[in-house]
Amino acid sequence: MKSSIQLDCKFLLYGVFVFIWVPSVVAHDPEWINYTAPNVNALVAVNGYLWVGGCGLTQLGTSTDEVVHYNRANAGLPENGVRTVAVDSRGSVWIGTSGGLARFDGAHWSTFSTSNSGLPDNRVRALAIDFYNTVWIGTQDGLIQFDGEDWIQYTTSNSGLPNNEIRSLAVRDSFEVWIGTQGGLAHFDGSAWRSYNTLNSGLPNDYVYSIAFDEEEHIWVGTGDGLARFDGASWTVYSTSNSGLPHNWIWTVFVDSRGDKWMGTLGGGLARFDGRQWTVYNTATSGLQSNEVRAIDEDDDGMLWVGTDEGLVRFDGERWREYSAANSGLPHEDVFTVSFDEHGHGWIGTENGLTEYDGFTWTAYDLKKTVSLDNLVWVSAFDISGSKWFGTPGGLGLYDGGQWYSFTAQNSGLPRSAIYELVVDWSGALWVGTIGGGLARFDWTSWTVFNTQNSDLPDNDVLALAFDEIGDLWIGTFNGLAVIDGLHWTVYQADNSGLPDNRINDIAIDSLGNRWIGTYGGVARFDGDGWTVYDTMNSILPDNHVWVMTIDSHGDKWFGTSRGLVRFDDSEWQVFMTGNSGLPSNWIWALTEDSLGNMWIGTAGGGLAVYREGGIANECGQKGDVTNDGVINVLDIVTAVRLSLGIIEPDACTLWRGDCDANSTIDVGDILLVVSVITGRGSCWP
């Protein structure tokens, strides 16, 4: 989705009629929506815009606040995990992702991968562009020089590179490339190579994450164990023990227009060094959202932009202002669980928190602050009373709609606090799968624990739970599958059944009573008598590591793997990958269908995706929802006119958002603001 349209749109208002001409909109896939997270990995400020790479790509007007979001569903990104960004002298933006390289010239996208270019590896970690617009590309398998036609690869076998895993790049003068690797620092002048490491130089660590040049052409190097300055002859090393550095792991180094050096660290925040004094900014002393600072740049007005794992801020030397690089309230790019409650609200558990989405508003819950649990939310379940249960590595959380409660191994009958799976039975009792402690049942009064010592449970790491049509509980563990009928246990393993592997990641049961088992060796179907296995050898399953499964309202089976998403209707297979769909990442952690038939897909590194064949469905029963989803279509306009005429009233499907400013973007919120002015519900004038 693109969340804005360039201002070549014309509005003519007369009475209650609204005439809107929209000549061009960035193409999007109506079957896919991507919800992105706020993490920032790369920043480039140029020509009045800030390009932000993280979970997708964001173009932000540094003085206008214009925002355009690009992601896998609406642009030519290979995937949403953007690791590095560079802009050439022609204004084209180069984007390195975990799934390949992209170029955007403002109108058209070009994508490069191992299948259509000279890239040796799709994991692009660093980019730099020299005086001749040659693009230098750092991958996990060497350095690439691309002049627009030819691709030249440099590796440890044909060059002076100390290591093939490239972490950082910087270009000085017309042709002088400095390369940071996981095995030291390298210099290439077009003909000769020289490498530096902890054994032959003053480099404090061989993991080189960032390189920058100061006004004297000295090189500043951020490593995994300190900061180094190299003047061509001698090295000066700065660390927490001899300087004001707050942390020795340096993610990024930037030299501003005044010559001050800025260092972003892994957990110590941001440091500034003016050559004499050190100043440290962290979450306690500044407007930083996180102490993990991944990217820094300065715009044309001298404003400093800082990207962290939790968002983007601008610093003018005195004041901090927070900006969103995401198109949603998703707190993190890694999504582990999605569940819908009785009201149709989605509850999304991520690497860094829980959020509730009602189709209109995102509400964040910080479990660490609320109930002293971990913010990594692995699993969720809702009981018959409407209470929400959430499993984390540090315990079990309960939310009854008003208050939060926590259960751990220290304050309850839980055998271990690491909660990986949850399911509620017909009586309302909660079954809890733990890591290391086995299985627990809680009936709101007492706890019952099943483990390898007191039952036939094959392993104490419980990874999957599901009840079948007769109420038997199927239990997936790290060492096999078990079923309990209330009295008796039956255990299935690779050596006594058709299971392809003993690690059971997920279980789903279809309307015919077939048990579908996702394993580390493919998918197994068990009909009670025989087993059928589907794997990469006898099907188009892209990977045998099947992490998650669901069965939709049509009976189709969905499998989430490490290399893509699969739909199987018992006869035909369909594979969705970043290369052929709006899927933001090929690693799938979560799958859930909502009541409208939309499939919600949680990914690793790509955020949250929604898919529905034929188009995303919404609660309005049509695609004219006038929501601020970044897509304007004819039905949106019709709905706006109906609102202005009083034919319909605003509800959860009509978002009254408009910025009332004079920037160069018009989005759906602006249209709704126009409607609100017409109907007397709002005003743009004091």
Side-chain angles (χ1 to χ4, degrees), residues 278-439:
W278 293 82
T279 306
V280 175
Y281 306 90
N282 54 43
T283 55
T285 63
S286 72
L288 285 176
Q289 312 100 317
S290 167
N291 287 328
E292 184 173 324
V293 177
R294 297 179 176 179
I296 309 167
D297 207 351
E298 183 181 26
D299 66 25
D300 297 333
D301 297 320
M303 299 290 185
L304 193 76
W305 295 82
V306 183
T308 76
D309 64 325
E310 295 187 20
L312 175 69
V313 292
R314 187 185 70 184
F315 182 46
D316 65 6
E318 295 181 0
R319 295 174 298 274
W320 299 81
R321 179 181 173 186
E322 185 173 344
Y323 289 79
S324 177
N327 67 359
S328 74
L330 199 65
H332 198 276
E333 60 186 339
D334 292 338
V335 178
F336 294 107
T337 179
V338 182
S339 299
F340 288 90
D341 64 20
E342 70 275 16
H343 303 295
H345 295 185
W347 294 79
I348 301 114
T350 77
E351 175 79 23
N352 190 38
L354 174 72
T355 187
E356 176 189 5
Y357 181 49
D358 63 4
F360 177 75
T361 303
W362 298 80
T363 303
Y365 298 90
D366 190 326
L367 301 188
K368 184 176 292 186
K369 292 181 179 178
T370 305
V371 281
S372 300
L373 293 178
D374 201 301
N375 269 332
L376 194 168
V377 180
W378 274 334
V379 64
S380 56
F382 307 141
D383 64 30
I384 56 179
S385 70
S387 295
K388 283 79 177 171
W389 295 86
F390 303 98
T392 79
L396 179 65
L398 167 64
Y399 180 54
D400 65 7
Q403 288 189 323
W404 282 89
Y405 307 90
S406 65
F407 301 87
T408 67
Q410 288 70 43
N411 70 0
S412 73
L414 276 174
R416 289 286 179 91
S417 294
I419 312 301
Y420 200 81
E421 181 65 312
L422 297 170
V423 69
V424 178
D425 67 21
W426 62 271
S427 70
L430 181 73
W431 293 78
V432 184
T434 75
I435 299 299
L439 177 68

Side-chain angles (χ1 to χ4, degrees), residues 562-573:
S562 304
R563 296 182 179 178
L565 173 66
V566 180
R567 179 171 63 185
F568 180 47
D569 65 3
D570 293 326
S571 61
E572 295 184 356
W573 297 79

Side-chain angles (χ1 to χ4, degrees), residues 47-246:
N47 299 327
Y49 290 100
L50 183 73
W51 294 90
V52 186
C55 187
L57 180 71
T58 298
Q59 181 185 8
L60 174 66
T62 55
S63 58
T64 64
D65 289 350
E66 172 189 356
V67 179
V68 183
H69 297 290
Y70 301 97
N71 54 60
R72 188 70 195 96
N74 73 351
L77 286 175
E79 68 170 45
N80 278 357
V82 176
R83 304 305 174 197
T84 179
V85 179
V87 180
D88 65 28
S89 63
R90 304 182 189 96
S92 292
V93 184
W94 295 79
I95 307 105
T97 79
S98 297
L101 177 69
R103 179 182 63 200
F104 179 50
D105 64 8
H108 305 99
W109 292 82
S110 302
T111 302
F112 307 92
S113 67
T114 55
S115 62
N116 69 353
S117 74
L119 276 180
D121 191 289
N122 285 332
R123 292 165 294 178
V124 177
R125 301 301 190 203
L127 290 170
I129 299 172
D130 67 22
F131 177 80
Y132 303 103
N133 270 334
T134 298
V135 184
W136 295 85
I137 307 159
T139 77
Q140 291 288 92
D141 192 23
L143 175 68
I144 300 298
Q145 178 185 353
F146 178 49
D147 63 5
E149 295 184 3
D150 298 321
W151 301 76
I152 301 173
Q153 182 183 7
Y154 302 96
T155 67
T156 54
S157 62
N158 69 354
S159 74
L161 275 179
N163 189 283
N164 284 334
E165 295 191 34
I166 312 300
R167 286 293 185 177
S168 54
L169 291 169
V171 175
R172 183 168 63 180
D173 300 328
S174 59
F175 193 105
E176 186 180 345
V177 186
W178 290 82
I179 307 106
T181 78
Q182 290 195 179
L185 177 68
H187 171 252
F188 180 48
D189 65 7
S191 57
W193 290 82
R194 185 170 181 181
S195 64
Y196 305 88
N197 56 46
T198 55
L199 298 177
N200 68 3
S201 73
L203 198 66
N205 187 270
D206 286 335
Y207 280 65
V208 178
Y209 294 105
S210 185
I211 304 167
F213 304 109
D214 65 20
E215 65 278 7
E216 297 175 337
E217 294 298 307
H218 297 164
I219 185 169
W220 293 76
V221 184
T223 79
D225 193 25
L227 173 71
R229 184 189 66 184
F230 181 49
D231 62 9
S234 60
W235 294 80
T236 305
V237 175
Y238 303 90
S239 68
T240 55
S241 62
N242 70 354
S243 74
L245 270 179

Side-chain angles (χ1 to χ4, degrees), residues 313-614:
V313 292
R314 187 185 70 184
F315 182 46
D316 65 6
E318 295 181 0
R319 295 174 298 274
W320 299 81
R321 179 181 173 186
E322 185 173 344
Y323 289 79
S324 177
N327 67 359
S328 74
L330 199 65
H332 198 276
E333 60 186 339
D334 292 338
V335 178
F336 294 107
T337 179
V338 182
S339 299
F340 288 90
D341 64 20
E342 70 275 16
H343 303 295
H345 295 185
W347 294 79
I348 301 114
T350 77
E351 175 79 23
N352 190 38
L354 174 72
T355 187
E356 176 189 5
Y357 181 49
D358 63 4
F360 177 75
T361 303
W362 298 80
T363 303
Y365 298 90
D366 190 326
L367 301 188
K368 184 176 292 186
K369 292 181 179 178
T370 305
V371 281
S372 300
L373 293 178
D374 201 301
N375 269 332
L376 194 168
V377 180
W378 274 334
V379 64
S380 56
F382 307 141
D383 64 30
I384 56 179
S385 70
S387 295
K388 283 79 177 171
W389 295 86
F390 303 98
T392 79
L396 179 65
L398 167 64
Y399 180 54
D400 65 7
Q403 288 189 323
W404 282 89
Y405 307 90
S406 65
F407 301 87
T408 67
Q410 288 70 43
N411 70 0
S412 73
L414 276 174
R416 289 286 179 91
S417 294
I419 312 301
Y420 200 81
E421 181 65 312
L422 297 170
V423 69
V424 178
D425 67 21
W426 62 271
S427 70
L430 181 73
W431 293 78
V432 184
T434 75
I435 299 299
L439 177 68
R441 181 181 184 271
F442 179 51
D443 63 5
W444 291 89
T445 301
S446 60
W447 294 82
T448 305
V449 175
F450 306 90
N451 55 42
T452 56
Q453 298 296 313
N454 67 4
S455 73
D456 289 332
L457 191 69
D459 194 89
N460 284 331
D461 289 344
V462 177
L463 309 179
L465 296 170
F467 283 99
D468 64 19
E469 70 281 2
I470 60 175
D472 291 350
L473 178 63
W474 292 77
I475 307 156
T477 77
F478 206 89
N479 191 36
L481 175 70
V483 57
I484 180 172
D485 63 6
L487 295 174
H488 306 99
W489 290 77
T490 305
V491 175
Y492 302 93
Q493 293 176 315
D495 59 1
N496 73 349
S497 72
L499 277 176
D501 190 89
N502 281 335
R503 173 165 174 164
I504 312 300
N505 293 320
D506 203 7
I507 304 168
I509 299 173
D510 66 24
S511 59
L512 299 177
N514 294 313
R515 286 72 168 158
W516 294 82
I517 318 297
T519 80
Y520 238 41
V523 177
R525 183 186 65 188
F526 180 49
D527 63 6
D529 295 315
W531 296 81
T532 304
V533 174
Y534 305 93
D535 58 25
T536 56
M537 300 298 292
N538 66 2
S539 74
I540 62 171
L541 200 68
D543 189 74
N544 284 333
H545 294 176
V546 179
W547 297 106
V548 63
M549 302 186 303
T550 194
I551 300 174
D552 68 20
S553 53
H554 302 289
D556 293 350
K557 290 76 185 174
W558 295 77
F559 311 125
T561 78
S562 304
R563 296 182 179 178
L565 173 66
V566 180
R567 179 171 63 185
F568 180 47
D569 65 3
D570 293 326
S571 61
E572 295 184 356
W573 297 79
Q574 184 177 8
V575 177
F576 303 89
M577 305 178 77
T578 55
N580 69 357
S581 71
L583 196 65
S585 167
N586 285 329
W587 196 303
I588 312 300
W589 281 124
L591 289 171
T592 303
E593 185 187 33
D594 66 22
S595 61
L596 300 174
N598 302 308
M599 187 61 66
W600 293 70
I601 306 150
T603 74
L608 180 65
V610 186
Y611 170 74
R612 182 175 180 272
E613 187 174 8

